[in-house]
Short mmCIF file of all heavy atoms in Angstrom, two decimals:
data_model
loop_
_atom_site.label_atom_id
_atom_site.label_comp_id
_atom_site.label_asym_id
_atom_site.label_seq_id
_atom_site.Cartn_x
_atom_site.Cartn_y
_atom_site.Cartn_z
N ILE A 1 54.42 147.20 132.71
CA ILE A 1 54.98 146.34 133.74
C ILE A 1 53.90 146.02 134.77
O ILE A 1 53.12 146.90 135.15
CB ILE A 1 56.17 147.01 134.45
CG1 ILE A 1 57.14 147.64 133.45
CG2 ILE A 1 56.88 146.01 135.36
CD1 ILE A 1 57.77 146.68 132.48
N GLY A 2 53.87 144.77 135.22
CA GLY A 2 52.88 144.37 136.22
C GLY A 2 53.46 143.41 137.23
O GLY A 2 54.50 142.78 137.00
N GLN A 3 52.79 143.29 138.36
CA GLN A 3 53.18 142.38 139.44
C GLN A 3 52.65 140.98 139.17
O GLN A 3 51.49 140.80 138.82
CB GLN A 3 52.61 142.90 140.76
CG GLN A 3 52.67 141.91 141.92
CD GLN A 3 51.84 142.37 143.11
OE1 GLN A 3 52.14 143.40 143.69
NE2 GLN A 3 50.81 141.62 143.45
N ALA A 4 53.52 139.99 139.36
CA ALA A 4 53.09 138.59 139.28
C ALA A 4 53.61 137.87 140.52
O ALA A 4 54.67 137.25 140.50
CB ALA A 4 53.60 137.93 138.01
N GLY A 5 52.89 138.02 141.62
CA GLY A 5 53.28 137.36 142.86
C GLY A 5 53.34 135.86 142.68
O GLY A 5 52.41 135.26 142.15
N GLY A 6 54.44 135.26 143.08
CA GLY A 6 54.64 133.82 142.92
C GLY A 6 55.66 133.49 141.84
O GLY A 6 56.26 132.42 141.87
N ARG A 7 55.86 134.40 140.89
CA ARG A 7 56.90 134.18 139.88
C ARG A 7 58.25 134.60 140.46
O ARG A 7 58.32 135.53 141.27
CB ARG A 7 56.61 134.95 138.60
CG ARG A 7 55.34 134.48 137.90
CD ARG A 7 55.25 135.06 136.49
NE ARG A 7 53.93 134.81 135.89
CZ ARG A 7 53.61 135.14 134.65
NH1 ARG A 7 54.52 135.73 133.87
NH2 ARG A 7 52.40 134.89 134.17
N SER A 8 59.30 133.91 140.02
CA SER A 8 60.62 134.15 140.61
C SER A 8 61.55 134.93 139.72
O SER A 8 62.66 135.28 140.15
CB SER A 8 61.27 132.79 140.95
OG SER A 8 61.40 132.00 139.77
N GLU A 9 61.14 135.20 138.45
CA GLU A 9 62.03 135.87 137.53
C GLU A 9 61.30 136.96 136.77
O GLU A 9 60.08 137.07 136.85
CB GLU A 9 62.64 134.87 136.54
CG GLU A 9 61.66 134.30 135.53
CD GLU A 9 60.94 133.07 136.02
OE1 GLU A 9 61.61 132.08 136.36
OE2 GLU A 9 59.70 133.07 136.06
N ILE A 10 62.05 137.75 136.02
CA ILE A 10 61.46 138.70 135.09
C ILE A 10 60.78 137.89 134.00
O ILE A 10 61.41 137.06 133.35
CB ILE A 10 62.54 139.62 134.49
CG1 ILE A 10 63.27 140.42 135.57
CG2 ILE A 10 61.92 140.54 133.43
CD1 ILE A 10 62.42 141.44 136.28
N SER A 11 59.49 138.13 133.78
CA SER A 11 58.72 137.36 132.80
C SER A 11 58.34 138.26 131.63
O SER A 11 57.48 139.14 131.76
CB SER A 11 57.44 136.80 133.44
OG SER A 11 57.74 135.90 134.48
N ILE A 12 58.98 138.02 130.49
CA ILE A 12 58.68 138.78 129.28
C ILE A 12 57.51 138.09 128.59
O ILE A 12 57.63 136.94 128.16
CB ILE A 12 59.89 138.85 128.35
CG1 ILE A 12 61.11 139.40 129.09
CG2 ILE A 12 59.58 139.71 127.12
CD1 ILE A 12 62.42 139.22 128.34
N GLU A 13 56.39 138.76 128.50
CA GLU A 13 55.18 138.12 127.98
C GLU A 13 55.21 138.05 126.44
O GLU A 13 55.49 139.03 125.77
CB GLU A 13 53.94 138.88 128.44
CG GLU A 13 53.75 138.91 129.95
CD GLU A 13 53.54 137.53 130.57
OE1 GLU A 13 53.25 136.57 129.82
OE2 GLU A 13 53.68 137.43 131.81
N ARG A 14 54.90 136.87 125.94
CA ARG A 14 54.89 136.64 124.51
C ARG A 14 53.56 136.99 123.85
O ARG A 14 53.51 137.49 122.72
CB ARG A 14 55.20 135.17 124.21
CG ARG A 14 55.42 134.88 122.73
CD ARG A 14 55.31 133.38 122.43
NE ARG A 14 56.25 132.57 123.19
CZ ARG A 14 57.40 132.09 122.71
NH1 ARG A 14 57.77 132.38 121.48
NH2 ARG A 14 58.18 131.34 123.46
N ILE A 15 52.43 136.73 124.58
CA ILE A 15 51.13 136.78 123.94
C ILE A 15 50.06 137.33 124.88
O ILE A 15 50.11 137.12 126.10
CB ILE A 15 50.73 135.36 123.45
CG1 ILE A 15 49.50 135.40 122.57
CG2 ILE A 15 50.59 134.41 124.62
CD1 ILE A 15 49.24 134.09 121.84
N ALA A 16 49.11 138.05 124.32
CA ALA A 16 47.93 138.53 125.07
C ALA A 16 46.69 137.94 124.40
O ALA A 16 46.61 137.89 123.17
CB ALA A 16 47.86 140.05 125.04
N ILE A 17 45.74 137.51 125.20
CA ILE A 17 44.52 136.90 124.65
C ILE A 17 43.32 137.80 124.90
O ILE A 17 43.28 138.57 125.86
CB ILE A 17 44.27 135.50 125.23
CG1 ILE A 17 44.14 135.54 126.76
CG2 ILE A 17 45.40 134.55 124.82
CD1 ILE A 17 43.76 134.19 127.37
N ASN A 18 42.34 137.66 124.03
CA ASN A 18 41.17 138.55 124.05
C ASN A 18 40.10 138.04 125.02
O ASN A 18 38.99 137.68 124.62
CB ASN A 18 40.60 138.68 122.63
CG ASN A 18 39.57 139.81 122.52
OD1 ASN A 18 39.44 140.63 123.42
ND2 ASN A 18 38.85 139.85 121.41
N ILE A 19 40.45 138.03 126.29
CA ILE A 19 39.49 137.57 127.30
C ILE A 19 39.79 138.23 128.65
O ILE A 19 40.95 138.37 129.04
CB ILE A 19 39.51 136.03 127.46
CG1 ILE A 19 38.27 135.53 128.21
CG2 ILE A 19 40.78 135.55 128.11
CD1 ILE A 19 37.01 135.59 127.40
N ASP A 20 38.74 138.68 129.30
CA ASP A 20 38.79 139.10 130.70
C ASP A 20 38.07 138.04 131.51
O ASP A 20 36.89 137.75 131.26
CB ASP A 20 38.08 140.45 130.90
CG ASP A 20 38.81 141.61 130.26
OD1 ASP A 20 40.04 141.54 130.12
OD2 ASP A 20 38.13 142.60 129.90
N ASP A 21 38.76 137.45 132.47
CA ASP A 21 38.15 136.43 133.34
C ASP A 21 38.77 136.60 134.71
O ASP A 21 39.77 135.97 135.05
CB ASP A 21 38.41 135.03 132.77
CG ASP A 21 37.57 133.96 133.44
OD1 ASP A 21 36.67 134.32 134.24
OD2 ASP A 21 37.78 132.76 133.17
N ALA A 22 38.19 137.49 135.50
CA ALA A 22 38.81 137.96 136.73
C ALA A 22 38.51 137.04 137.92
O ALA A 22 37.35 136.84 138.28
CB ALA A 22 38.34 139.37 137.04
N ARG A 23 39.57 136.53 138.54
CA ARG A 23 39.42 135.71 139.74
C ARG A 23 38.99 136.56 140.92
O ARG A 23 38.27 136.10 141.82
CB ARG A 23 40.74 134.99 140.03
CG ARG A 23 40.71 134.10 141.28
CD ARG A 23 42.05 133.42 141.48
NE ARG A 23 43.13 134.38 141.62
CZ ARG A 23 43.45 134.99 142.75
NH1 ARG A 23 42.74 134.78 143.86
NH2 ARG A 23 44.48 135.83 142.80
N ILE A 24 39.46 137.83 140.95
CA ILE A 24 39.09 138.76 142.01
C ILE A 24 38.60 140.06 141.37
O ILE A 24 38.83 140.32 140.19
CB ILE A 24 40.28 139.08 142.94
CG1 ILE A 24 41.45 139.69 142.14
CG2 ILE A 24 40.72 137.83 143.69
CD1 ILE A 24 42.62 140.15 142.99
N LYS A 25 37.92 140.87 142.14
CA LYS A 25 37.45 142.16 141.64
C LYS A 25 38.62 143.10 141.44
O LYS A 25 39.64 143.02 142.14
CB LYS A 25 36.45 142.78 142.63
CG LYS A 25 35.14 142.02 142.74
CD LYS A 25 34.20 142.68 143.74
CE LYS A 25 32.88 141.92 143.84
NZ LYS A 25 31.96 142.55 144.83
N ASP A 26 38.48 144.01 140.47
CA ASP A 26 39.50 145.04 140.30
C ASP A 26 39.28 146.14 141.33
O ASP A 26 38.39 146.04 142.20
CB ASP A 26 39.52 145.57 138.86
CG ASP A 26 38.28 146.41 138.51
OD1 ASP A 26 37.45 146.70 139.39
OD2 ASP A 26 38.15 146.77 137.32
N ASN A 27 40.08 147.19 141.28
CA ASN A 27 39.99 148.24 142.30
C ASN A 27 38.73 149.09 142.19
O ASN A 27 38.46 149.91 143.06
CB ASN A 27 41.22 149.14 142.23
CG ASN A 27 42.46 148.46 142.78
OD1 ASN A 27 42.40 147.35 143.31
ND2 ASN A 27 43.61 149.11 142.65
N ALA A 28 37.96 148.89 141.11
CA ALA A 28 36.69 149.59 140.97
C ALA A 28 35.52 148.66 141.29
O ALA A 28 34.36 149.04 141.10
CB ALA A 28 36.54 150.14 139.55
N GLY A 29 35.84 147.46 141.75
CA GLY A 29 34.79 146.51 142.11
C GLY A 29 34.24 145.70 140.95
O GLY A 29 33.25 144.98 141.12
N LYS A 30 34.88 145.77 139.79
CA LYS A 30 34.40 145.03 138.63
C LYS A 30 35.07 143.66 138.55
O LYS A 30 36.26 143.53 138.85
CB LYS A 30 34.66 145.82 137.35
CG LYS A 30 33.90 147.13 137.27
CD LYS A 30 34.20 147.88 135.97
CE LYS A 30 33.43 149.19 135.89
NZ LYS A 30 33.75 149.96 134.65
N GLN A 31 34.31 142.68 138.10
CA GLN A 31 34.83 141.32 137.98
C GLN A 31 34.27 140.67 136.72
O GLN A 31 33.41 139.79 136.78
CB GLN A 31 34.49 140.49 139.22
CG GLN A 31 35.19 139.13 139.25
CD GLN A 31 34.91 138.38 140.54
OE1 GLN A 31 34.08 138.79 141.35
NE2 GLN A 31 35.62 137.27 140.74
N PRO A 32 34.75 141.08 135.54
CA PRO A 32 34.26 140.49 134.29
C PRO A 32 34.62 139.01 134.20
O PRO A 32 35.71 138.60 134.62
CB PRO A 32 34.96 141.30 133.21
CG PRO A 32 36.19 141.83 133.87
CD PRO A 32 35.80 142.08 135.29
#
């Protein structure tokens, strides 16, 4: 389960893609 600020409903994810493209740094300071 994850937070999606801006979404208004429970979002059941259909697909995951093989890419990391971070708009912001993670909590360890990484931004792939």
